[in-house]
Amino acid sequence: MNDYSKRSYIIILVFVLVALVFLIRLFRLQVLDSTYKQYATNNVLREVVQYPARGLIYDRNGELLVYNKTAYDLLITPREVKAFDTTLFCNLLDITREDLEAGIDKAKKYSKYKPSILVKQISPENYAVLQEQLYKFVGFHTQTRTLREYSAPAAAHALGYVGEVTQNDINKDAYYKSGDYIGVSGIEKTYEAQLRGTKGVKKNLVDVHNRIQGSYLGGSEDIPAQIGNNLTTTLDIDLQLYAEKLFKNKKGAVVAIEPSSGEVLALVSAPVYDPGLLVGRVRGANYSMLESDSLLRPLFNRALLAKYPPGSTFKTINALIGLQEQAITTNTMFTCYGKGSSPIRCTHDHGTINVVGAISGSCNPFMWNTFRSIIGRSKTSAEGFNKWRHYLLDFGLGTTLSEDFANSLKGDLPTVDYYNRIYGKGHWNALTVRSLAIGQGELGATPLQMANVAAIVANRGYYYEPHIVKAIEGDTIRSSFKTKHGVEIDAKYFEPIIEGMSRVVKGAYLIPGLEYCGKTGTIQNNHGIDHGAFEAFAPKDNPEIAIFVYVENSKWGASYAAPIAGLLIEKYLNDTIATNRQYVEKLMLNANLLDPNKIVIEDDSEE
Amino acid sequence: MIQRNNIWSNIDWITVLLYLVLVFMGWFNIYAAVYDTDHQSIFDISQRYGKQLLWIGAGVALAIIIMSIETNFYVFFSYAIYGVMVSLLLLVLLIANEVNGARSWLEIGGFKLQPSEFAKFATALALARYMSTFDFKLKNFKSLAIMALIIFTPAALILLQNDTGSALVYFSFVLVLFREGLSGLVLFLGTLVATLFILALILSKLTLILVLLGAAALIYLILNPKFSQYFKILVFFATGILLSFLLNAILGKKYELGDIIIFGSILGSLVTLVYSLIKKFKNYAIISLFFLGSVLFSISVDYTFNNILESHHQVRIKELLGLESNPYGAGYHVNQSKIAIGSGGMWGKGYLNGTQTKFNFVPEQSTDFIFCTVGEEWGFAGTFVVIALFVFFLSRLVWLAERQRSVFSRIYGYSVAIILFFHFVVNIGMTIGIMPVIGIPLPFFSYGGSSLWSFTILLFIFIRLDASRLENFRDSRNT
C-alpha cells in the first residue's frame, strides 16, 4: 500500500464508466433502434421470383392447342462478374461481342448489385450446353421461364400471343414487373388473369458475395408459383385448320358459330401466320416482318376488325324487317327490270317476284321497294330510318357484340344525325340512302357480326353472345354467354327467308344428304376486283353451324365464298368431303387470289 | 519452501475461472462466426474453431508452465525477456513479409508468431522491474526518461511495422503511472488535448474560438469572482480583439472573422498573462497559459491532421466523427458491424443463427470483430454479460494488484489490467462505432494463437506473482 492506493477506485470507476457508455450505446443499437434489423434483412435476403407456367389451351374437343416449353434467361450481376472467356461465351449463346458489351452496359446502368437479364429465352438445347460451362462465368446465373408452344400452326389471331409487359402495363397493374410476360392479343389477352397464374417467390439467404447459402427460415416464407388455369376454347381445331387451308393465297375471313350456343367454331383471318413465329427470341424480328407487310397485313384480324359492307348477304335482314313491319307480306310482289331497274339496277331480270324469290335471286329492286316501304310507313324519313336502324342494332350490327374478344369493332351503322349532317335535316329520304337496302353504302359489319346474323336466322330469331371460351378450369365463363338475345321479329317471318336461302344452295353447292341455306353477297370495290361473301347455316332444320365467309377480290360471292362455306359446312357436319365434290375442294385450295394474273373468275351467278 | 508448496492453494481461482469462461465463450463465438454446414464438427482442426481449441490447449499448458516457475525468475529475467522481445521486433522488421500492409509476422517452420503481441508482457515486466527499483522517482527526469524509453522502444518498433493499433496499446501505461503517483494534471492535459483535437476537427475556426473564449471567461469568473479584476481581463481581451480588427482594416480586410478573433484573443491572453505575472495572480496566469496553449494547439490540429496522419487514418477518424460517410468505403466495416450487432435485438437471433457474421458481411468476424457475433446471436443480453464479465474481471485484477506487497507485482498487475482494458475499450468501441477502426483483438475472445498466448502469459505471470504474494522474494521496495 502506498499513498496513491485510493487511485485504484478512480481506475475502477473509469472501467465502469466506459462499460456504461458501451451499454448505453449497445442498448440504443440493439433494442431501441430497429433500422439495423432492416439493414440486416436487406443484406442477406434475396428474393427469387418463381414464374408460373401459363394455363394450357384446348379446343372444344379436348385437343391440346397451346402448351408451354421451358426456356432460360441468363442473368448477370455486374458486381460479381470476374474476367471470363468472352469468345466462348458469345459462341455458347450465339450472340455477338457487341451484343454482349451493350448488354453488360445496360445491366450496369440498371444496378451493379442486382441481377438483370442479359440473354433472354435460351432454348433448352443451348441451355444444356451452356449449363456445363456456366461455372466458368462468375456473376452469371439462369432462371427458368416458360414460352408458348403450339401443337398446330393455326388460329393465331384467335389465340393471340404473349409478349413482354410494357411500362404502361406495369403502371396499370402492380402485379407486373419489368421483364414479365403478358397476353398481348386474342384469348391470351382477354383471359390473361386466368392464364397467367400467380408468381411465387423464393427467399434465399445469400452471403456477402451474393452466393446462395440456403433458404430463409427453412423455406417457410416461400410462396410457390401457382400455375395458370387451363382453358377450353370453343374452336374446333379441325375446322379451323381446314378453313385456314382453304384460304391459302386468299385474303378474307371466316367466322363459324354454333347457333344453339353462340360458340365460335372457327375464326379465321387470312392471310394466316404461324403463331409460333411470335414466340421466343425470334418474336421481335418476326413481328416487324409481319407488321411491315402492308399489302397483306397478316396481323390485322379481319374477322373482328374488318368493317366490310355486308352486300347482298344483308338482304335477309332487310326482308325480315319488311315482313315484321308489314311493309311487305309473303304475297307482296315487286317487278324487277334487270339492268333497267331504277333507282337500283339488278344483275338479272327477275321479273315479278315475292320475297322468297327475291332472297333466292338476290333481287335489288325488290329490296329497294321493301326498304322504301319500311321507311315510308313512318311520318318522316328520319323516324322510319330509326325504326329500321333499331332492328339492325337488334341483330347486333353497330354494337360490340361480344365481350369475349380482346379487340373487336362495332362496325358502321349510320345514324339520323349522320345523314342530317351530310344532307341537312329533312333533306334526305329512303331514296337518298337507298344503298343501305342492299347492304352497301355506309354500312360496315365485321364477319363476326354477320356470322351472328346467320346464327339468328338459323335460330329463327335469337342468338347467344358469340364467344370463344367454353370453359375455364377453376372458374366459370361469363353468365352473359348463356343469355338468350331475341330479335323483335316473329319466328314465322323467318320461314320465307330461309326458304329463299335454301333455294340459293343448288348445283355445285349441293352437299349430298344435307339441306342447308345460304345467301351470297358481292360487294362493289372501287379499288379493284369486287369482294365476295357468303352467309349460311346448316342443316336447314336444327342448324348446327352458322357461317360467314368473306373472300376479298373474289369477284362474286358465288365464286369462292359460297364454295368455301359449303366445304366448311360439309367438313364440320360430315367430317369428310364427298368424292363428287372433291374437285370443288381442289379448285378452292389451288385458287390464288393474291396474284391478279392468276385469278380465274367463272362468270356464273344469279346476282 | 513451505509457501512454495502452497502456491496452488494460493492461486486466485476466481480469476482463473473468469479467464476460462472468457476463452471458451470466445471459442464458441468463433465457431458461430465461421460456422458452415459443410464443417459442423467444432473440433475440426481445418477450421478456425478447431485451431483455436488447439491454441487454447497450448495456452492452458503455457499457464501451467508459468505457474510452475519461481516468481523470482520473472523478476530476475525481466530485462532479459524484454531484451529478447525487442530483438525479435527488430528481427521482424528486417525479415518479415508484409501481410495486410503490416510487417508483423515471424515465420518459424510454417508456424507464425506475432512478436508485437508478446512484447506487451515483456514491457510490463521491464516497467515493473524498473519502477520498483530504489532509485526510481516519478519526478526525476532521468527516471522518467528511462521509463519512457522502456515503454516507447517497442511501441516505436511496432509502429515501424505499420501496426498502429498495437503501438497505441503502449500509451495505456500512462494509467499505470497514474496509479503510481503521476500527477492527475497529465491525465487532465491528455483529456484536454483529445477534446480539443476532436473539437478542432468538428467545429469551424470561429465557433471553436468563441467556445474557448466562453470557457475561459467562465473559468476566470469561477476562480476569482472579484469583479474589478475580472473586468480588467475582459477589457484586455476586448482591446486585443478590437486591435486585431483595426489591424485587419489597416492591412486591407483580407482575413476571416475567425482568424481575426483568434489573433485578438492571443493578444488579450498575452496581456493578461503579463498582468497576472506582475500582480502575482497565479490562477490567472495558469488559465491564460492554458488558454494560449489551447488556441495554439487547436490551430495546429488542421495541419497535424492533414500532414502527419496517413490518409486511411484521416478517413477513419472523419468517418467516426461523422464528418464523412461512405458505408461502402471506409465506413463499410463499422457499418456492417453495427448492422450485425444492431440486428441482434434484446435476446439475439440464437446460437448459430446469425446471418451477418456467418455470411461474411462483417469483415474479420472471427478476429477483430468477434464481438459482432456476440451481439448478433446473443443480443443485448449477451453483450451485457460479456461487458459485465470484463468489468468484473478487470476490477478483480485491480483489486488483486492492490493486495500485492511487492511494488513489482503491483505495477505488473496494474499493467495487466490496463493493457486488457485498453484492448477492451478500443475493440468493442470500434465494433459499435464510437472508436476509430484500430485493428486490435478482444482479449481471450478473438481468434488467433499469438494474441491468446500473449494474453495468457500476461495474465498468468500475474496470477503466479499473486499466488506467492506472501513470499519474501527479492524486491527492493517492499512495503
Side-chain angles (χ1 to χ4, degrees):
Chain A
M1 294 285 168
N2 69 6
D3 313 340
Y4 297 108
S5 64
K6 288 226 158 55
R7 287 194 173 179
S8 63
Y9 298 117
I10 297 179
I11 290 173
I12 289 175
L13 185 71
V14 170
F15 295 171
V16 172
L17 282 178
V18 166
L20 271 179
V21 169
F22 281 1
L23 288 175
I24 290 167
R25 172 78 171 180
L26 282 164
F27 191 73
R28 252 187 59 200
L29 275 181
Q30 299 189 283
V31 182
L32 299 182
D33 193 341
S34 62
T35 54
Y36 291 100
K37 290 170 193 69
Q38 191 54 49
Y39 286 137
T41 313
N42 290 348
N43 262 346
V44 295
L45 262 194
R46 284 293 169 282
E47 299 192 345
V48 181
V49 177
Q50 305 289 296
Y51 293 100
R54 274 181 95 78
L56 308 178
I57 302 178
Y58 296 92
D59 96 331
R60 64 188 292 110
N61 300 314
E63 197 123 352
L64 184 61
L65 300 182
V66 188
Y67 54 101
N68 300 301
K69 62 178 173 187
T70 308
Y72 302 86
D73 290 343
L74 184 71
L75 292 93
I76 176 174
T77 313
R79 194 178 72 132
E80 293 167 29
V81 174
K82 298 220 170 77
F84 61 97
D85 182 348
T86 49
T87 314
L88 174 67
F89 189 83
C90 291
N91 287 343
L92 283 172
L93 290 163
D94 199 16
I95 57 172
T96 66
R97 186 174 288 269
E98 289 74 37
D99 290 341
L100 175 64
E101 281 165 6
I104 292 177
D105 282 347
K106 198 179 155 203
K108 276 184 184 162
K109 214 174 260 177
Y110 166 67
S111 169
K112 284 194 172 168
Y113 297 89
K114 289 185 196 160
S116 54
I117 298 175
L118 182 69
V119 183
K120 279 177 211 166
Q121 301 157 359
I122 300 161
S123 67
E125 299 77 40
N126 282 350
Y127 175 74
V129 185
L130 173 71
Q131 198 194 18
E132 285 173 14
Q133 310 272 346
L134 201 60
Y135 73 92
K136 293 179 184 167
F137 308 110
V138 180
F140 295 90
H141 70 278
T142 54
Q143 72 183 15
T144 310
R145 302 297 295 266
T146 56
L147 295 179
R148 284 311 214 185
E149 183 99 311
Y150 301 88
S151 48
H157 295 100
L159 296 171
Y161 64 94
V162 173
E164 236 171 84
V165 290
T166 61
Q167 191 55 46
N168 202 15
D169 297 325
I170 297 171
N171 295 345
K172 262 192 258 170
D173 186 348
Y175 172 83
Y176 298 104
K177 298 279 175 286
S178 178
D180 283 1
Y181 297 144
I182 188 171
V184 178
S185 70
I187 292 174
E188 299 277 18
K189 183 177 182 183
T190 320
Y191 290 89
E192 166 69 12
Q194 288 87 348
L195 287 170
R196 75 180 178 198
T198 312
K199 281 186 285 185
V201 67
K202 191 165 165 44
K203 294 183 176 178
N204 284 325
L205 291 174
V206 294
D207 69 4
V208 70
H209 304 296
N210 231 347
R211 289 180 303 223
I212 292 173
Q213 298 291 323
S215 49
Y216 178 63
L217 296 179
S220 60
E221 291 217 337
D222 290 359
I223 302 163
Q226 288 182 332
I227 59 168
N229 295 342
N230 295 343
L231 192 145
T232 303
T233 72
T234 59
L235 293 176
D236 180 314
I237 191 63
D238 295 331
L239 185 66
Q240 176 80 24
L241 271 169
Y242 187 57
E244 293 190 8
K245 203 163 125 192
L246 290 171
F247 259 90
K248 195 179 169 200
N249 291 325
K250 295 163 196 75
K251 285 195 282 182
V254 174
V255 177
I257 294 175
E258 184 180 70
S260 60
S261 64
E263 290 171 5
V264 173
L265 302 170
L267 188 109
V268 178
S269 172
V272 297
Y273 63 90
D274 179 353
L277 289 176
L278 296 183
V279 173
R281 285 163 79 179
V282 293
R283 192 174 71 84
N286 285 336
Y287 186 85
S288 311
M289 188 257 291
L290 292 171
E291 195 181 36
S292 64
D293 188 347
S294 58
L295 201 68
L296 299 178
R297 299 178 66 199
L299 290 176
F300 179 57
N301 188 352
R302 290 164 170 82
L304 304 176
L305 300 175
K307 295 183 287 187
Y308 294 122
S312 299
T313 56
F314 177 76
K315 286 173 181 161
T316 49
I317 302 175
N318 198 43
L320 284 167
I321 299 169
L323 290 167
Q324 179 71 29
E325 280 293 302
Q326 324 237 294
I328 54 168
T329 66
T330 45
N331 298 322
T332 307
M333 309 289 274
F334 292 114
T335 305
C336 168
Y337 301 100
K339 292 195 163 60
S341 304
S342 177
I344 307 178
R345 292 189 304 161
C346 203
T347 50
H348 294 73
D349 195 337
H350 291 107
T352 303
I353 49 171
N354 67 0
V355 67
V356 177
I359 291 293
S360 71
S362 196
C363 179
N364 288 347
F366 188 94
M367 287 304 150
W368 150 245
N369 285 315
T370 307
F371 180 67
R372 184 180 59 178
S373 176
I374 297 166
I375 306 291
R377 291 174 69 80
S378 297
K379 274 183 225 150
T380 64
S381 299
E383 205 176 302
F385 175 81
N386 261 341
K387 198 165 265 174
W388 179 81
R389 186 176 182 277
H390 179 76
Y391 283 102
L392 264 52
L393 288 171
D394 232 20
F395 274 87
L397 300 183
T399 66
T400 306
L401 193 54
S402 171
E403 298 291 336
D404 207 27
F405 300 93
N407 193 7
S408 65
L409 290 182
K410 286 183 176 181
D412 292 331
L413 180 55
T415 59
V416 166
D417 287 348
Y418 173 82
Y419 289 119
N420 283 347
R421 266 203 309 281
I422 294 182
Y423 303 109
K425 201 173 172 182
H427 293 283
W428 58 276
N429 54 30
L431 183 66
T432 327
V433 298
R434 61 187 176 278
S435 303
L436 298 175
I438 55 166
Q440 301 219 34
E442 291 81 3
L443 269 185
T446 64
L448 177 74
Q449 287 172 327
M450 290 311 293
N452 189 52
V453 168
I456 294 168
V457 179
N459 285 336
R460 278 80 169 163
Y462 67 88
Y463 71 94
Y464 290 96
E465 182 178 330
H467 54 277
I468 197 158
V469 167
K470 199 173 161 68
I472 308 159
E473 188 189 56
D475 203 347
T476 49
I477 58 167
R478 230 186 286 261
S479 59
S480 66
F481 296 165
K482 303 211 186 273
T483 311
K484 197 171 179 175
H485 298 270
V487 294
E488 290 172 33
I489 289 173
D490 300 342
K492 62 180 182 196
Y493 295 128
F494 283 90
E495 291 313 327
I497 305 303
I498 289 169
E499 179 55 32
M501 286 175 78
S502 77
R503 290 186 196 172
V504 170
V505 179
K506 62 189 178 192
Y509 310 142
L510 286 172
I511 302 168
L514 179 70
E515 196 180 355
Y516 73 100
C517 305
K519 177 72 197 81
T520 54
T522 299
I523 298 92
Q524 278 177 29
N525 177 12
N526 299 330
H527 310 290
I529 302 168
D530 288 351
H531 308 305
F534 196 71
E535 169 196 339
F537 62 88
K540 185 181 176 189
D541 299 313
N542 301 317
E544 291 173 40
I545 178 169
I547 193 165
F548 184 76
V549 176
Y550 197 99
V551 188
E552 292 182 28
N553 310 118
S554 62
K555 186 77 176 168
W556 305 106
S559 327
Y560 290 94
I564 287 175
L567 288 168
L568 289 170
I569 288 170
E570 189 175 11
K571 176 81 179 172
Y572 181 67
L573 294 176
N574 293 353
D575 222 27
T576 50
I577 305 303
T579 18
N580 65 343
R581 278 172 47 78
Q582 279 172 3
Y583 77 99
V584 181
E585 183 184 37
K586 204 173 159 197
L587 209 63
M588 292 303 119
L589 287 173
N590 292 337
N592 184 342
L593 302 184
L594 299 181
D595 183 348
N597 300 323
K598 287 188 185 166
I599 297 175
V600 187
I601 305 289
E602 289 170 69
D603 206 311
D604 135 76
S605 188
E606 54 274 78
E607 289 178 59
Chain B
M1 280 301 126
I2 296 160
Q3 284 128 322
R4 191 189 176 327
N5 292 337
N6 273 345
I7 68 135
W8 295 105
S9 55
N10 286 335
I11 288 176
D12 184 53
W13 289 107
I14 292 181
T15 308
V16 174
L17 187 72
L18 281 169
Y19 163 81
L20 288 173
V21 166
L22 290 173
V23 162
F24 279 97
M25 279 174 83
W27 182 51
F28 280 120
N29 280 297
I30 292 167
Y31 179 67
V34 294
Y35 172 83
D36 73 88
T37 43
D38 293 341
H39 302 90
Q40 291 195 336
S41 165
I42 200 165
F43 303 109
D44 185 343
I45 60 157
S46 71
Q47 298 297 308
R48 288 196 154 180
Y49 38 83
K51 289 198 181 117
Q52 182 75 358
L53 189 62
L54 291 183
W55 309 150
I56 293 171
V60 171
L62 260 177
I64 294 169
I65 294 168
I66 287 165
M67 297 307 295
S68 317
I69 295 173
E70 285 281 347
T71 34
N72 282 343
F73 171 85
Y74 302 110
V75 185
F76 278 130
F77 289 98
S78 50
Y79 289 145
I81 294 169
Y82 179 76
V84 169
M85 284 305 159
V86 170
S87 317
L88 279 179
L89 287 176
L90 269 171
L91 190 67
V92 169
L93 266 185
L94 295 175
I95 64 165
N97 298 320
E98 222 174 80
V99 177
N100 292 336
R103 208 180 268 279
S104 53
W105 292 91
L106 201 59
E107 265 193 83
I108 311 160
F111 207 75
K112 279 162 57 172
L113 275 180
Q114 223 177 340
S116 55
E117 289 294 337
F118 298 95
K120 290 169 201 164
F121 88 89
T123 309
L125 279 176
L127 189 72
R129 171 77 183 272
Y130 181 68
M131 286 177 70
S132 58
T133 50
F134 262 130
D135 43 351
F136 177 80
K137 297 271 180 309
L138 254 179
K139 288 184 176 137
N140 177 311
F141 178 75
K142 193 184 156 207
S143 294
L144 276 175
I146 293 174
M147 190 190 70
L149 200 66
I150 291 172
I151 295 174
F152 292 114
T153 305
L157 290 172
I158 291 167
L159 201 61
L160 284 176
Q161 292 173 6
N162 227 348
D163 186 357
T164 324
S166 300
L168 285 174
V169 173
Y170 292 83
F171 284 93
S172 62
F173 280 111
V174 75
L175 268 178
V176 180
L177 304 184
F178 170 70
R179 162 61 185 86
E180 291 305 312
L182 188 71
S183 164
L185 193 65
V186 179
L187 286 183
F188 172 72
L189 275 176
T191 318
L192 183 69
V193 165
T195 314
L196 283 175
F197 184 82
I198 292 171
L199 284 181
L201 287 180
I202 296 177
L203 303 176
S204 73
K205 257 189 224 168
L206 182 65
T207 325
L208 182 66
I209 188 66
L210 291 178
V211 167
L212 286 175
L213 278 174
L218 203 68
I219 295 165
Y220 279 128
L221 188 65
I222 291 165
L223 286 184
N224 197 343
K226 223 173 169 186
F227 188 72
S228 59
Q229 277 162 3
Y230 186 67
F231 183 71
K232 273 180 195 160
I233 290 162
L234 284 184
V235 171
F236 292 152
F237 272 87
T239 318
I241 292 167
L242 260 174
L243 261 174
S244 178
F245 271 106
L246 267 174
L247 212 60
N248 182 53
I250 294 164
L251 290 174
K253 280 187 177 176
K254 48 183 174 175
Y255 293 103
E256 286 173 29
L257 193 61
D259 288 328
I260 297 167
I261 299 177
I262 287 171
F263 186 71
S265 311
I266 292 172
L267 282 182
S269 62
L270 279 173
V271 175
T272 314
L273 181 63
V274 174
Y275 169 80
S276 30
L277 285 176
I278 293 168
K279 293 269 182 178
K280 298 203 164 94
F281 294 145
K282 197 182 159 202
N283 284 348
Y284 276 14
I286 291 170
I287 297 166
S288 305
L289 268 175
F290 264 97
F291 179 79
L292 203 57
S294 301
V295 172
L296 292 176
F297 176 77
S298 304
I299 54 182
S300 68
V301 163
D302 273 342
Y303 177 82
T304 319
F305 187 77
N306 292 324
N307 297 288
I308 296 178
L309 283 184
E310 284 182 44
S311 61
H312 67 277
H313 291 139
Q314 288 176 20
V315 173
R316 283 178 188 176
I317 291 170
K318 282 183 178 170
E319 190 80 44
L320 182 73
L321 296 177
L323 299 175
E324 266 177 21
S325 178
N326 180 7
Y328 291 107
Y332 180 79
H333 290 199
V334 176
N335 194 42
Q336 292 297 342
S337 166
K338 278 156 76 181
I339 289 172
I341 294 173
S343 67
M346 187 68 204
W347 303 106
K349 298 176 186 170
Y351 189 51
L352 300 182
N353 288 334
T355 52
Q356 307 300 303
T357 48
K358 203 161 61 181
F359 297 154
N360 302 325
F361 286 97
V362 180
E364 306 292 337
Q365 74 271 37
S366 62
T367 55
D368 294 345
F369 284 89
I370 188 69
F371 191 67
C372 296
T373 309
V374 180
E376 189 183 10
E377 299 194 343
W378 302 101
F380 181 70
T383 54
F384 182 89
V385 166
V386 169
I387 286 172
L389 272 176
F390 262 105
V391 169
F392 180 59
F393 180 64
L394 294 171
S395 307
R396 175 106 196 145
L397 288 177
V398 167
W399 182 76
L400 290 182
E402 280 300 330
R403 77 177 183 183
Q404 301 306 310
R405 290 165 63 196
S406 102
V407 177
F408 177 88
S409 301
R410 184 178 70 227
I411 294 175
Y412 184 80
Y414 264 102
S415 301
V416 174
I418 298 304
I419 288 172
L420 294 177
F421 173 63
F422 183 83
H423 282 83
F424 165 77
V425 172
V426 173
N427 182 281
I428 294 184
M430 162 181 85
T431 61
I432 57 181
I434 53 180
M435 283 275 164
V437 178
I438 296 169
I440 59 173
L442 184 61
F444 314 120
F445 262 73
S446 290
Y447 169 78
S450 288
S451 73
L452 179 66
W453 293 345
S454 88
F455 289 125
T456 304
I457 295 169
L458 183 74
L459 176 68
F460 275 88
I461 289 177
F462 179 55
I463 295 177
R464 177 68 188 87
L465 292 174
D466 174 66
S468 48
R469 66 187 180 278
L470 300 171
E471 276 180 54
N472 239 352
F473 61 88
R474 186 188 175 278
D475 185 356
S476 36
R477 281 205 327 190
N478 280 348
T479 48

